[in-house]
């Protein structure tokens, strides 16, 4: 009787160990694979074919500077802006993954009187005021060589955010040259 109880405990321990080993192995194998599945009906988190084509044609690295103030205060407005900025970061990560190493993302937190705030102003990112009077920056600067484009990221243009970023990348890659006419 005791032998049967010991055998049951031993088999149970071996079974639990085997399941734990399988789970650890599965996690190790799947952690190396970076697959993201977009299950939304309108494919909100998947880049459009046009954007992917723009990114495939890049031959020079493009730097995206993402400015987002990370306030330590927790008001409903700052919580909303933090979740929105997280969605922007996710989209920028999609750009980076599809850019085949040609998209470089730099995230900056422009707090008052900081170097990041000076960079944001230099790049043309507009300062917004929160309801408490606190300054807040949320924007993107797209740079390649000497060309620079600024993308404002207001929450009411979230659906057009991919278009705005792709357009800015296209404008820095293919800058329009000024047309000069000569009249004689």
């Amino acid at each position: 009787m005791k032998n049967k109880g010991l055998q049951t405990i031993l088999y149970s321990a071996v079974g639990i160990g085997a399941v734990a080993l399988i789970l650890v192995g599965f996690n190790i194998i799947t952690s190396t694979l970076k697959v993201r599945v977009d299950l939304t009906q309108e494919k909100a988190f998947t880049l459009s074919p046009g954007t992917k084509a723009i990114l495939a044609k890049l031959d020079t690295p493009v730097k995206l500077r993402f400015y987002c103030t990370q306030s330590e205060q927790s008001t409903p407005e700052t919580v909303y802006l933090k979740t929105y900025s997280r969605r922007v970061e996710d989209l920028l990560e999609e750009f980076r993954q599809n850019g085949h190493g040609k998209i470089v993302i730099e995230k900056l937190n422009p707090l008052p009187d900081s170097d990041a705030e000076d960079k944001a102003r230099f790049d043309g990112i507009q300062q917004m005021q929160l309801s408490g009077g606190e300054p807040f920056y949320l924007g993107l600067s797209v740079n390649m060589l000497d060309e620079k484009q600024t993308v404002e990221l207001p929450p009411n243009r979230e659906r057009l955010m991919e278009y705005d970023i792709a357009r800015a990348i296209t404008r820095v890659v293919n800058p329009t040259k000024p047309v000069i006419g000569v009249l004689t």
Side-chain angles (χ1 to χ4, degrees):
M1 197 76 158
K2 278 188 170 183
N3 196 12
K4 183 114 174 135
L6 182 62
Q7 188 178 15
T8 304
I9 291 173
L10 184 63
Y11 282 143
S12 297
V14 169
I16 290 172
V19 168
L21 188 64
I22 290 170
L23 283 174
V24 168
F26 178 75
N27 281 333
I28 290 172
I29 291 170
T30 58
S31 69
T32 60
L33 302 173
K34 297 277 182 174
V35 177
R36 189 170 174 182
V37 179
D38 184 4
L39 299 176
T40 59
Q41 185 175 1
E42 62 275 348
K43 300 294 182 197
F45 301 106
T46 302
L47 294 181
S48 67
T51 301
K52 288 180 181 180
I54 291 168
L55 296 175
K57 292 179 185 176
L58 292 178
D59 56 354
T60 306
V62 176
K63 181 183 272 189
L64 304 177
R65 281 193 192 129
F66 176 53
Y67 295 96
C68 179
T69 304
Q70 298 296 323
S71 175
E72 288 144 18
Q73 295 179 356
S74 183
T75 64
E77 192 175 22
T78 57
V79 170
Y80 173 74
L81 289 171
K82 282 181 184 180
T83 56
Y84 174 68
S85 69
R86 183 67 209 147
R87 290 193 301 267
V88 174
E89 286 181 41
D90 289 343
L91 181 64
L92 292 176
E93 183 61 26
E94 287 292 319
F95 271 86
R96 190 191 63 74
Q97 287 178 357
N98 286 283
H100 308 291
K102 300 294 182 184
I103 299 288
V104 179
I105 299 173
E106 184 180 351
K107 297 174 189 169
L108 297 165
N109 181 10
L111 295 173
D113 300 324
S114 67
D115 290 339
E117 183 182 35
D118 293 339
K119 281 185 181 181
R121 287 183 179 162
F122 178 73
D123 282 339
I125 305 299
Q126 297 295 318
Q127 175 182 336
M128 299 182 288
Q129 293 290 328
L130 297 178
S131 58
E134 183 180 345
F136 189 84
Y137 289 91
L138 183 62
L140 185 70
S141 173
V142 181
N143 302 303
M144 185 183 87
L145 303 175
D146 292 339
E147 294 297 320
K148 177 173 48 171
Q149 288 284 316
T150 301
V151 179
E152 295 296 325
L153 300 170
N156 62 349
R157 284 187 57 89
E158 183 174 6
R159 291 223 179 258
L160 299 172
M161 187 174 11
E162 177 188 345
Y163 169 75
D164 291 339
I165 296 170
R167 183 179 64 185
I169 291 172
T170 301
R171 286 183 176 171
V172 298
V173 170
N174 302 317
T176 57
K177 308 248 185 306
V179 178
I180 298 175
V182 178
L183 295 174
T184 58

